[in-house]
Amino acid sequence: MTTRVFILFLIFSNLSNAQLAFEDVATQVGVNYSYGDSEYGGGVSFADFNNDGWDDITYATEDGAQIYFFENNNGVFNLVTLNGISNTYKTKQVIWIDYDNDGDKDLFVTAIEGVNEFYRNDGGMNFTNISSTIGFFQTDLFTYGTSFGDIDNDGDLDAFISNRTSTEQNQRNYLYRNDEGTFVDITQSSGIPIEDEEGNENSQLSFCTMFFDYNKDGFQDIYLANDKTDNINRLYKNLGNGTFEDVSVASGSGIAVNAMTTTLGDYNNDGWFDIYITNTQSSQAGNGNVLLKNNGDGTFTNVAEETGTTFNSLAWGAVFLDADNDTLLDLYVSGGYDGSIGSFLSAAFYHQQNDETFVIPQNIGFENDTRKSFSNAIGDINNDGKPDIIVCNDTENNFLWENKTTNTNNWLKVKLEGVTTNRDGIGNTIEIFINGRSQYRYTLAGEGYISQNSYHEFFGLGEATEVDYVKVTWTGTNTEDIIYDVNANQSITIKEGNGVLTSDDIQTNTLLSLYPNPSNDGVFKLSVNNNKSNTLKVYDLAGRLIFKIKNLKDKDEFSLNHCKKGIYLAKVSSGQKSSTIKLVLN
């Protein structure tokens, strides 16, 4: 390569990387807390737990500390207490799911010191602890991860609970079937082993699992991450009759590493979902992390070396995301080193290139990403369509990496609502099609290393301003919803059998702002970017119109002091333009 060509290569490489940018805003937005004294870290959720359209954050915590719930109010987080939830165990997974399909999110919390607890949302964010009656075991086991999926296609969410300890016996895993709101232990009848060859309970040192349909036969399978090289990872094939077959060896997915995570994504956009597994021993089998490419024939191939994603350090959580909305999935990996140990990485952001390889770009904001970290998840703190990353650290404050990438790429966010299938829309495939190319996402509940991502699926559209179609394949019924000619830069909810349920532009907000927000006396002042007459409509979170006023102009005031305290959505319309913002009434 000539000197001139090499210089031009560097210039264009730097320009490309300059578009990528992340900044830790944990202190700025109010989530600068840490897990505390951990044993292999704590879990984090980026799920919208109050269904107001903004991704909230939940942190697991150390022994003696309450779980942290951070409510997202227009990009700023408030630490809140939730009525009926009190838990000071040494918690691990914090996961929000609608187990009873009533339209609100319930909470399951695992612990390694103390029992697992389940909180039913009775409406209005009021909770009842139903741990003793829900059907899950109430023994004090070393539970790390749990995941939810529908193994029998009956429309409700079943559960897999992973237990891991190298010092105690009787720490097997549990598979539960949801029978109309009560969970039944079907581990033994399902064919998943509960005893080893010597008759002892089969402890596989399992951290976490995920449910997904690896072979597209319409049934959700289970992939299990096991620690230590004498416990291979397991792929249990769902036979569709309530039983599973261990196809770990036959499929090539039964790798033997110190496996920490089960991270799913279609990195090469071929419609077959691939698995990324992190490893805490770079010198053992696989020589680092593993990227299992789904070959589409029931087998997987490790392509970590050729894609450049081995990490070769003390790896824990990982998550796929299209950080710059260029239509290619990138990858973020957390690490258990703090950057002070030789050449071992403390964390890594891998940017995918056009040839299905990944590189670690420099000077994009992760220079201080040097804390001992474990779990991570993605969400959208300000509804701008760019995925942000929350990272659970050890004794130092957690990171919240806000995505500040600047380019002209567009995006689409998609959330599902099941009708015949489960209400959360878990276990389904979303395909978008742009200019002859497809992208695919799979909806999960419980993923990565004891983590939970946003219920929205993020798609980068590149320069496209319109998506040719969005197709949802509902695994439980094998039916499809297809929506054509979807505009870019919006968030949509697709309801099973009904197409687009809602299309909101909460994230754009170029038309208006309202202040003070929150308001203590119910009085808000309107600020709009025009001199026209505007119509204001205020809705509660159930979608009921509670207030309307016409001919509002910039700097006009209105009052909601006749309303109960809580969260509302205000929509201002001016001609063909409209914008929506969340109001908080204290």
Side-chain angles (χ1 to χ4, degrees):
M1 182 182 294
T2 66
T3 301
R4 181 179 179 184
V5 172
F6 180 70
I7 291 173
L8 288 173
F9 171 78
L10 288 178
I11 291 173
F12 284 113
S13 296
N14 288 333
L15 285 174
S16 175
N17 291 339
Q19 296 176 353
L20 284 162
F22 284 84
E23 179 184 348
D24 177 24
V25 296
T27 299
Q28 178 182 333
V29 302
V31 295
N32 53 320
Y33 292 74
S34 72
Y35 177 86
D37 180 21
S38 80
E39 183 176 357
Y40 308 142
V44 63
S45 168
F46 225 140
D48 173 13
F49 54 66
N50 57 3
N51 287 333
D52 68 349
W54 294 78
D55 289 329
D56 306 302
I57 292 173
T58 308
Y59 290 156
T61 51
E62 65 179 329
D63 186 32
Q66 292 287 351
I67 299 168
Y68 293 134
F69 302 103
F70 298 95
E71 185 181 76
N72 185 347
N73 291 302
N74 299 324
V76 177
F77 291 82
N78 295 326
L79 180 61
V80 298
T81 58
L82 300 180
N83 185 35
I85 298 180
S86 179
N87 189 320
T88 57
Y89 295 134
K90 195 168 191 175
T91 54
K92 288 297 174 182
Q93 182 103 46
V94 282
I95 185 167
W96 293 93
I97 47 93
D98 185 0
Y99 87 101
D100 51 5
N101 289 327
D102 65 350
D104 51 31
K105 295 291 188 288
D106 313 292
L107 177 66
F108 185 53
V109 182
T110 70
I112 61 169
E113 292 180 12
V115 297
N116 304 330
E117 294 200 327
F118 199 103
Y119 302 92
R120 183 187 65 218
N121 190 337
D122 297 322
M125 297 303 289
N126 295 299
F127 294 83
T128 299
N129 189 335
I130 57 172
S131 307
S132 62
T133 60
I134 193 68
F136 290 148
F137 66 83
Q138 282 288 281
T139 312
D140 184 2
L141 301 181
F142 286 71
T143 304
Y144 278 82
T146 189
S147 58
F148 290 84
D150 187 357
I151 61 172
D152 50 4
N153 291 339
D154 65 348
D156 54 26
L157 291 171
D158 312 301
F160 194 102
I161 299 178
S162 305
N163 296 307
R164 184 217 179 272
T165 176
S166 57
T167 59
E168 302 287 341
Q169 298 299 315
N170 304 321
Q171 297 289 301
R172 69 173 176 89
N173 300 318
Y174 290 78
L175 175 63
Y176 288 94
R177 183 183 65 233
N178 186 341
D179 284 352
E180 297 182 351
T182 300
F183 289 89
V184 178
D185 181 4
I186 61 166
T187 316
Q188 187 168 16
S189 64
S190 73
I192 294 176
I194 65 172
E195 293 181 344
D196 60 23
E197 294 178 353
E198 299 177 353
N200 299 315
E201 285 202 316
N202 189 28
S203 176
Q204 299 187 68
L205 303 182
S206 305
F207 274 121
C208 51
T209 57
M210 65 180 174
F211 292 85
F212 82 111
D213 185 4
Y214 84 98
N215 56 358
K216 297 186 182 181
D217 66 352
F219 294 98
Q220 285 194 279
D221 313 295
I222 301 171
Y223 191 71
L224 174 64
N226 288 325
D227 195 6
K228 307 304 179 186
T229 55
D230 54 350
N231 295 303
I232 66 169
N233 280 17
R234 299 288 175 179
L235 176 60
Y236 296 111
K237 179 183 177 180
N238 190 337
L239 300 180
N241 59 2
T243 66
F244 290 80
E245 177 187 357
D246 186 343
V247 295
S248 311
V249 175
S251 67
S253 64
I255 52 103
V257 296
N258 290 2
M260 306 294 114
T261 188
T262 52
T263 300
L264 192 73
D266 182 9
Y267 82 95
N268 56 357
N269 288 331
D270 66 351
W272 296 91
F273 290 99
D274 315 298
I275 311 170
Y276 190 74
I277 303 110
T278 57
N279 180 17
T280 58
Q281 293 293 330
S282 61
S283 62
Q284 295 189 3
N287 192 31
N289 295 351
V290 174
L291 176 55
L292 292 179
K293 177 183 177 181
N294 191 332
N295 298 317
D297 59 1
T299 67
F300 293 82
T301 302
N302 182 10
V303 295
E305 286 280 356
E306 60 200 73
T307 58
T309 55
T310 55
F311 193 71
N312 292 323
S313 188
L314 190 67
W316 286 90
V319 63
F320 282 109
L321 71 161
D322 184 355
D324 51 357
N325 288 326
D326 66 349
T327 76
L328 301 176
L329 281 178
D330 309 305
L331 179 67
Y332 177 84
V333 182
S334 291
Y337 290 142
D338 62 4
S340 63
I341 303 178
S343 60
F344 288 105
L345 293 169
S346 59
F349 173 82
Y350 290 101
H351 186 222
Q352 187 175 172
Q353 310 299 291
N354 289 324
D355 58 358
E356 297 182 6
T357 64
F358 295 76
V359 299
I360 301 177
Q362 303 300 309
N363 302 317
I364 65 169
F366 289 116
E367 291 74 30
N368 295 319
D369 193 357
T370 56
R371 295 173 186 170
K372 187 178 179 181
S373 303
F374 292 93
S375 62
N376 55 54
I378 60 170
D380 188 355
I381 62 175
N382 53 7
N383 280 335
D384 65 354
K386 294 181 289 190
D388 310 300
I389 310 170
I390 189 74
V391 179
C392 185
N393 297 321
D394 199 3
T395 55
E396 295 184 89
N397 286 341
N398 297 339
F399 289 124
L400 176 51
W401 296 106
E402 182 181 355
N403 189 340
K404 292 182 174 292
T405 300
T406 55
N407 57 29
T408 58
N409 289 340
N410 298 308
W411 53 271
L412 181 71
K413 294 191 334 189
V414 181
K415 188 171 71 170
L416 303 183
E417 181 179 320
V419 177
T420 302
T421 60
N422 66 87
R423 183 72 174 264
D424 282 337
I426 297 302
N428 303 300
T429 301
I430 306 171
E431 175 192 356
I432 71 165
F433 188 79
I434 307 170
N435 300 327
R437 297 183 61 188
S438 292
Q439 297 179 54
Y440 302 86
R441 302 288 187 268
Y442 196 87
T443 54
L444 300 170
E447 51 210 292
Y449 173 66
I450 56 176
S451 300
Q452 181 179 28
N453 293 329
S454 168
Y455 269 94
H456 283 96
E457 296 296 331
F458 296 75
F459 291 91
L461 308 184
E463 296 293 334
T465 58
E466 188 177 76
V467 177
D468 296 328
Y469 67 75
V470 179
K471 179 168 69 174
V472 180
T473 302
W474 304 92
T475 300
T477 60
N478 201 31
T479 58
E480 295 179 346
D481 278 313
I482 304 177
I483 301 98
Y484 295 94
D485 302 326
V486 179
N487 291 330
N489 301 328
Q490 63 169 325
S491 172
I492 63 174
T493 299
I494 299 177
K495 186 173 183 178
E496 182 182 5
N498 292 275
V500 176
L501 173 67
T502 61
S503 177
D504 63 70
D505 57 359
I506 292 176
Q507 66 282 349
T508 56
N509 288 328
T510 57
L511 184 63
L512 81 147
S513 62
L514 290 162
Y515 58 94
N517 193 11
S519 171
N520 293 321
D521 60 3
V523 176
F524 295 88
K525 182 174 288 187
L526 179 73
S527 176
V528 291
N529 297 326
N530 62 39
N531 294 317
K532 301 178 181 179
S533 295
N534 300 278
T535 298
L536 171 74
K537 295 180 181 179
V538 179
Y539 301 85
D540 64 16
L541 293 184
R544 293 183 291 262
L545 179 65
I546 63 169
F547 181 77
K548 178 180 179 180
I549 187 170
K550 295 183 178 180
N551 300 320
L552 274 173
K553 294 186 178 181
D554 190 33
K555 309 305 181 187
D556 280 354
E557 291 184 355
F558 64 95
S559 175
L560 294 181
N561 57 19
H562 61 288
C563 300
K564 295 187 296 184
K565 67 179 182 179
I567 299 172
Y568 299 89
L569 297 178
K571 183 174 184 179
V572 171
S573 301
S574 177
Q576 298 299 314
K577 295 183 178 180
S578 66
S579 193
T580 307
I581 195 168
K582 182 170 70 172
L583 297 182
V584 181
L585 181 59
N586 287 335

